[in-house]
Structure formats: structure tokens, C-alpha cells
Amino acid sequence: MRELVDKLEENKVLSKEEYILLIKNRDNEISEYLFERARAVQQKYYGKKVFVRGLIEFTNYCRNDCLYCGIRRSNRNAQRYRLTKEDILNCCREGYELGFRTFVLQGGEDPYFTDERLADIVSSIKEDYPDCALTLSVGEKEHESYQMLFDAGADRYLLRHETADDAHYRRLHPPELSPERRKKCLYDLKAIGYQVGCGFMVGSPYQTAENLADDLGFIKELQPHMVGIGPFIAQRDTPFRDMKNGTLEQTLIMLSLVRLTLPYVLLPSTTALGTIDPTGREKGILAGANVVMPNLSPVSVRKKYLLYDNKICTGDESAQCRSCLQMRMKGIGYETVVSRGDCVSPEPDAQN
Ligand code: SAH
């Protein structure tokens, strides 16, 4: 097993079977070795520095009905909200003062936010904060919409592929959503020139080790700048309410495998990881992640953006979230930095 870890670190191609062996591994010593090597690669490219992104959850209206997600359209218990442009700009102002140089606008697929409205918000943020990067995470759109938002100034786009396996994708989504379209969106975004992030949930219902190996294969093929990974966590108002959550161990293994597969990648240690384990985000960094995303949304709406149950940090002010994470990182010997936090590889395709 150690040889497989070494092979991956040397940037050799692993077969799907080899990936599956590593994914299924439950030997603590091997896991520790995997985390150690992933950490070495993370530190080689980024030092002991962690990038911070200010997350603004600006709408929880969604036209989609993903079976796992708490803001799916058929959830009648979700209290819907959307922030105004002024609210969003206020979040950015507060975030800027706290040292954020990347803002992430995330939301459901809310038809109120037309391309024009979103482009206007994007260009206003970029006008006020030209030294900041702006990331969008607002789901699937046509090529021309992505282009318009890029032209308005958006730098990055997060769109988790959720699972690379088509049959598995269909079990997690309603029939009107297709795995082909999801993947096409990612290739469109890349072609337009966005720094692109894909990603998946670990331990989502019906997921197999083979599915996870395919996720790594897809990541290797797409060569994204970022990969967002977190455990699946059941949400009480969804059809998956009784499904088992993803585990800390499996999520950490996947973070390390992504780090070794794409050495330069920007890899967040997610809120979901902090939700299933009190020090999950620290453990994520120690398994190779190098980004944290404290919440900048106004406290009044925090409890409404409930993708999953027991989400942490829903009562804290932005400044509290910022300093809490800073302290947590310091506690494990890492330092949070004030910078846009771009990917060190200008051209991730040149990684191998
Ligand atoms: N509408 C945007 C943002 C989706 S929410 C989009 O389509 O990209 C961001 C991510 O939260 C999703 O991509 C999904 O992977 C994750 N998520 C949703 N429900 C979840 C759950 N129950 N447990 C863990 N993660 C979840």
C-alpha cells in the first residue's frame, strides 16, 4: 500500500484498481502515511499557509430538487430568503475589512437572479474591490450566461460534479438533471477562462469505492484549479433523511488522494467536515487541504441556508468565524493569509 502512495506522489498514473485499494484502506498506519505525504505536497507548493474565502450565501431559493439538499424546491419547511445587492455589498465591505481577498457568492438556482442582475452585482463588487477575486457558485447555466458573468468580472466558478458516475448521478438527482449537462458546464467554464472547481460529497447514498475512484479519474481528466469535497450529511426534510452520513475517515482519505493526484490544487477543508467532527477542519488541513471558507452571510439568514442538518457557525458574526478559524489554523501550526490565494500553477494542464 505504501508503494501506491509513493507512486501517486511521484505523479505516476494509478489504475482504477489501485485507487480503489487506497480508497478502501482502513489501516490507520497507511492512512497516516497517506496524510503525511499529502501534507508534504501541500507544503511544498503552498507552505504552511491557508487561504481564506469569504462565503456569502445570497439566496436559498432553488428551482432544482436534488434529493440530498435541504434547499431543494420541494422542501416546504425551508424559509426562503434572498439578499439584496446592498446586503451583498455590505458583506463584502465587512469581509474586506476582516482581510478577505476572495468572495464566494453561493446560492440555489434562483431565477430572480437573472444574468443581468448577477452581472451587475459582479461588476459592482469588482469595481469596489479590484484587488479581490470573485467566485460564483450558482449552478448550471448556458455557455453565454457563463460568458456574460465572466465578462462582468467573475474570476472563478465552483460547480461540484457531485459524482462522476452517470448511474449514481441519476440516483441523487431528479430526472430533469443530467450528468452530461453537469460535466458540459464544467468544460464550458474552463474554456471561457474561469478558474474552475469541481467536487463531490463523500459517503453520499449508494456511493461505492469504485464511484470515488471514478471521481478521482474525472478530476485528473478535467484538471480543475479547485476541488470541493465534504461528507454527505442527511437533511431531515429531504428524501435522504434516513441515509447514513459520510465519515470523517473516508473524507480525509479522499482529500489526501486529491492532493496527491493534483499537487497544485486549491482544496478547501469544508464546513461539512467541521460539522461531522469538532476538529474536522483542522484534520482536513492536516490531510492536505489548504483553504478554509468562513461564512460572511448576515447572521439573520445563516440558519436558513441549511443544506444539511446541524450545520456549524450559524450563530456567529463574520468576525467571529474569521478569528475562530485563524486560531484553529494556528493551533495546528498553519497561518491564514490575506491574499487572493490563486492557484500556484498558472496552467494546471501543465501539472503532469
Ligand atoms: N446551486 C449551487 C450550489 C449548491 S450547494 C450548485 O448547484 O452548484 C453547494 C454544495 O453543497 C453542493 O454542490 C453539494 O455537493 C453540497 N451539499 C448539498 N446538500 C448536501 C448535504 N446534504 N450534505 C453535504 N453536502 C451537501
Side-chain angles (χ1 to χ4, degrees):
M1 279 292 216
R2 280 180 178 250
E3 317 80 70
L4 291 183
V5 177
D6 294 338
K7 199 170 154 187
L8 195 54
E9 186 179 352
E10 287 156 22
N11 233 324
K12 303 216 177 86
V13 179
L14 289 199
S15 69
K16 186 162 160 183
E17 287 64 38
E18 290 174 321
Y19 266 129
I20 290 176
L21 283 176
L22 287 171
I23 290 165
K24 284 189 169 166
N25 157 62
R26 286 295 170 273
D27 177 333
N28 272 337
E29 260 177 53
I30 301 293
S31 298
E32 282 308 322
Y33 184 62
L34 177 65
F35 302 155
E36 179 204 310
R37 296 325 304 156
R39 219 156 48 225
V41 171
Q42 162 221 62
Q43 288 174 15
K44 178 173 164 199
Y45 293 106
Y46 293 100
K48 288 183 128 185
K49 295 197 186 334
V50 175
F51 294 140
V52 285
R53 322 295 196 200
L55 180 64
I56 304 170
E57 298 157 334
F58 72 102
T59 173
N60 72 350
Y61 283 87
C62 192
R63 62 176 175 165
N64 287 334
D65 219 15
C66 306
L67 276 70
Y68 44 83
C69 186
I71 62 168
R72 66 200 302 266
R73 70 160 184 263
S74 30
N75 181 6
R76 302 268 169 267
N77 291 333
Q79 294 175 42
R80 305 290 169 174
Y81 74 91
R82 54 174 72 94
L83 300 184
T84 63
K85 180 179 170 184
E86 284 61 45
D87 295 332
I88 296 171
L89 287 169
N90 281 335
C91 290
C92 294
R93 181 169 352 107
E94 195 179 346
Y96 193 87
E97 282 161 15
L98 291 169
F100 291 96
R101 295 297 177 268
T102 290
F103 302 116
V104 182
L105 291 186
Q106 188 182 82
E109 292 193 16
D110 179 355
Y112 170 84
F113 287 99
T114 56
D115 295 345
E116 290 70 24
R117 283 194 174 118
L118 262 182
D120 173 54
I121 293 169
V122 167
S123 56
S124 299
I125 295 175
K126 290 295 285 195
E127 207 170 290
D128 291 355
Y129 307 99
D131 53 334
C132 292
L134 185 62
T135 307
L136 293 176
S137 178
V138 287
E140 299 177 14
K141 293 186 181 294
E142 295 300 326
H143 185 288
E144 59 185 40
S145 304
Y146 285 147
Q147 184 71 56
M148 181 170 165
L149 296 168
F150 185 76
D151 295 340
D155 304 276
R156 307 182 184 137
Y157 205 103
L158 298 179
L159 185 77
R160 291 188 177 180
H161 62 284
E162 311 297 359
T163 170
D165 182 90
D166 290 0
H168 185 218
Y169 191 94
R170 291 201 186 87
R171 300 187 80 173
L172 302 180
H173 298 94
E176 64 272 18
L177 292 178
S178 90
E180 295 81 15
R181 174 156 150 90
R182 194 83 180 170
K183 288 181 186 150
K184 177 183 181 293
C185 285
L186 283 163
Y187 283 101
D188 284 350
L189 288 162
K190 224 180 159 203
I192 290 169
Y194 282 95
Q195 295 173 37
V196 171
C198 66
F200 55 93
M201 290 177 286
V202 177
S204 60
Y206 319 112
Q207 186 181 59
T208 62
E210 191 186 350
N211 294 155
L212 287 170
D214 285 337
D215 287 321
L216 294 169
F218 176 70
I219 284 167
K220 183 104 186 150
E221 182 193 303
L222 177 70
Q223 297 270 323
H225 301 76
M226 308 168 271
V227 176
I229 302 180
F232 161 75
I233 303 174
Q235 206 282 351
R236 69 183 99 237
D237 301 312
T238 64
F240 288 164
R241 62 181 67 85
D242 296 322
M243 296 289 189
K244 270 216 247 33
N245 292 345
T247 64
L248 174 74
E249 291 72 23
Q250 189 73 75
T251 307
L252 296 177
I253 289 172
M254 295 314 297
L255 283 170
S256 291
L257 291 175
V258 171
R259 169 62 63 205
L260 294 175
T261 301
L262 285 189
Y264 294 95
V265 83
L266 294 165
L267 193 59
S269 195
T270 54
T271 307
L273 194 53
T275 297
I276 57 162
D277 185 283
T279 55
R281 285 169 299 177
E282 289 90 322
K283 288 169 183 154
I285 299 293
L286 294 172
N290 68 329
V291 174
V292 288
M293 298 171 67
N295 204 315
L296 270 186
S297 313
V299 177
S300 57
V301 303
R302 293 267 179 109
K303 285 195 172 59
K304 299 180 181 164
Y305 198 80
L306 288 184
L307 307 179
Y308 47 81
D309 286 343
N310 305 318
K311 189 175 169 201
I312 53 170
C313 313
T314 55
D316 297 345
E317 294 289 344
S318 303
Q320 283 172 284
C321 281
R322 173 77 176 85
S323 61
C324 162
L325 272 169
Q326 189 167 339
M327 267 167 39
R328 285 170 180 269
M329 296 302 115
K330 212 170 158 199
I332 53 167
Y334 282 72
E335 184 198 349
T336 49
V337 292
V338 176
S339 94
R340 279 174 49 119
D342 284 300
C343 191
V344 293
S345 170
E347 189 40 80
D349 288 318
Q351 278 181 29
N352 301 307

